[in-house]
Amino acid sequence: MTRIARRGALGALAIALAAPRLAAAQGNTIRIVVPFAPGGSTDAVARLVSPGLTQRLGATVVVENRSGAAGSIGADAVAKARPDGLTWLLTFDSHATISALLRNPPFDLMKDLDPVMLIGGSPYSIATKANKPFRNLADVIAAAKARPDAVSYGSTGNGTIGHLTMILLGEAAGVRMTHVPYRSGGLAVNDTVAGTVDMMIGSSALLLPHINGGTLRPLLQFGPQRLSGLPNTQTSTEAGFPNLIAEAWWGVFAPHGTPAPMVARMNAALRETLQEPRVQQVMTETQQARLVMSSPEEFGRFFAAEVEKWGRVVRSSGIQPD
């Protein structure tokens, strides 16, 4: 390669790497769309990382909650946004069930959004109001066997991974329980604390603050081993269900066609932000999350496997969206 050609290539690379900052400056703000109502763990993660992203991307980063239709409304808004680096989706594991759950999804799950990063995950857990009679999963199963459909549980919506996990648990334990879907983890927690539902399933990140505060009692965690924040709560394996492992996760997507340098820049900004000591502490201790901070390619492979795994459960159960 000649000196002139090398200089031209380096100049093009510099422009490409600067593209995210230039795009952000033109639009003034970068939107992180959360496809759920405020108060859940996805909203909490988005608001946790937004200050660091603001610093690193050279533009104000705002979190926009657009909930409804199993998370597809917010995801569709991002899928239809211009791929200019100004709009991103930070979503939850239930994103993997949209194509199986909705009869006519407004966008193509695998084609209209490009993976950016798998942030990390936290095992699902079941918790109940502190003054409810349930002390562990065995108590729940005994009550459900004695009164089919009388025991109720909340989740963040029909077809979410929490809901699907409870379906698998009911099948494995031979019991029927009543599902109460909510539009966000925060709403489900509120009704569980109030005693409106007998218990709820949610990410350990969502439930732990209320467990530590004494308003909720943990009954079971679906991780392969006990979390440091739930040292006295048995795992599904310990409870006799070794094949029932379920982990909540958070991931970031971009509108399809977002230039690779912009995706790389967002991935790098997320990684740097998540490695800040304060942010890392909140994620690993308060949220009880296992940080992954994957590459876009790694997230793409993980996501395809999640779509296949949980899509089978949705189809076999005949679940309909909220």
Side-chain angles (χ1 to χ4, degrees), residues 42-311:
T42 311
D43 181 65
V45 170
R47 295 183 189 280
L48 177 66
V49 301
S50 60
L53 294 178
T54 292
Q55 175 186 349
R56 290 172 172 85
L57 296 175
T60 300
V61 174
V62 298
V63 176
E64 179 180 317
N65 297 91
R66 300 191 66 172
S67 63
S72 66
I73 291 177
D76 182 51
V78 177
K80 290 180 170 56
R82 292 179 59 188
D84 56 8
L86 296 178
T87 307
W88 307 82
L89 177 72
L90 198 160
T91 190
F92 199 49
D93 52 43
S94 57
H95 186 71
T97 69
I98 288 176
S99 59
L101 187 63
L102 301 183
R103 187 166 299 174
N104 295 300
F107 64 97
D108 189 307
L109 189 66
M110 303 302 293
K111 294 181 179 179
D112 292 341
L113 290 165
D114 294 341
V116 177
M117 174 185 280
L118 172 62
I119 292 175
S122 178
Y124 272 98
S125 294
I126 303 174
T128 186
K129 186 178 180 180
N131 64 1
K132 290 280 186 179
F134 310 120
R135 298 286 170 178
N136 50 44
L137 181 63
D139 291 343
V140 173
I141 292 174
K145 285 185 175 180
R147 296 189 302 151
D149 298 318
V151 176
S152 61
Y153 68 91
S155 80
T156 53
N158 282 330
T160 57
I161 306 302
H163 178 206
L164 301 180
T165 300
M166 291 300 288
I167 287 176
L168 294 178
L169 175 62
E171 292 175 351
V175 298
R176 297 201 316 265
M177 295 177 282
T178 297
H179 176 229
V180 181
Y182 291 87
R183 292 180 65 187
S184 76
L187 296 174
V189 165
N190 290 343
D191 269 11
T192 308
V193 170
T196 306
V197 290
D198 291 317
M199 58 186 177
M200 72 165 288
I201 183 168
S203 71
S204 300
L206 172 65
L207 298 177
L208 197 61
H210 305 277
I211 292 170
N212 290 338
T215 56
L216 292 180
R217 177 191 302 123
L219 301 174
L220 186 76
Q221 51 187 310
F222 287 94
Q225 57 192 20
R226 295 190 183 192
L227 290 172
S228 61
L230 295 172
N232 300 316
T233 304
Q234 65 179 181
T235 66
S236 50
T237 298
E238 293 169 336
F241 302 95
N243 297 321
L244 196 47
I245 305 296
E247 186 176 59
W249 54 262
W250 306 275
V252 176
F253 292 85
H256 177 64
T258 299
M262 291 183 179
V263 172
R265 178 62 180 140
M266 175 58 84
N267 184 284
L270 280 165
R271 182 181 300 275
E272 291 168 9
T273 297
L274 290 163
Q275 289 175 333
E276 290 179 14
R278 182 189 68 86
V279 174
Q280 193 171 55
Q281 182 178 18
V282 171
M283 289 297 296
T284 58
E285 296 182 13
T286 304
Q287 301 279 30
Q288 289 291 296
R290 174 182 60 87
L291 285 173
V292 178
M293 300 179 290
S294 76
S295 69
E297 295 76 19
E298 290 167 338
F299 185 26
R301 291 190 292 270
F302 169 86
F303 181 64
E306 287 286 284
V307 170
E308 173 61 25
K309 172 184 176 181
W310 295 110

